[in-house]
Amino acid sequence: MLLSKRNPCPSPNAAVPDWYQTYFIAVVEHDRQRALPQIELAQKAIHDRVSQLQNDPAGSPRELQDLNSASVYLDILLQHIGRETGNLLWD
């Protein structure tokens, strides 16, 4: 199987960034009461990582793009949680 350089298959030992783990937990949380605090933790983790990358001239443009996408998605979740139905996107 050929792998493109743009989308290589990650190795099983590839490290997952801390911010992503926090983000993933927030996204898959199905309990509305626990979702809001998880989303807030993920937003902070994303903000902290963006700050780190801005101070690192060798920072990854791809990771910055991923962070931005994750932040946008969390904002969408927050908007949906605030609706009267109180359901999460996947309900």
Side-chain angles (χ1 to χ4, degrees):
M1 173 176 17
L2 295 174
L3 298 175
S4 75
K5 289 183 180 178
R6 182 179 173 135
N7 294 318
C9 182
S11 71
N13 297 328
V16 176
D18 291 338
W19 71 264
Y20 185 80
Q21 293 173 352
T22 306
Y23 165 76
F24 183 79
I25 290 168
V27 170
V28 299
E29 179 57 63
H30 66 277
D31 183 308
R32 185 175 185 268
Q33 296 298 326
R34 291 186 295 202
L36 184 57
Q38 292 296 336
I39 291 169
E40 289 170 348
L41 282 173
Q43 286 177 318
K44 182 180 180 334
I46 289 169
H47 175 75
D48 291 348
R49 182 62 180 150
V50 167
S51 295
Q52 289 174 350
L53 289 175
Q54 287 175 340
N55 295 324
D56 181 6
S60 166
R62 173 60 194 254
E63 187 175 6
L64 281 171
Q65 182 181 15
D66 291 345
L67 288 158
N68 184 57
S69 297
S71 181
V72 168
Y73 191 69
L74 290 175
D75 288 343
I76 292 168
L77 284 176
L78 282 174
Q79 288 174 4
H80 194 74
I81 287 174
R83 293 188 181 163
E84 288 182 21
T85 61
N87 293 332
L88 300 175
L89 283 176
W90 46 90
D91 286 343

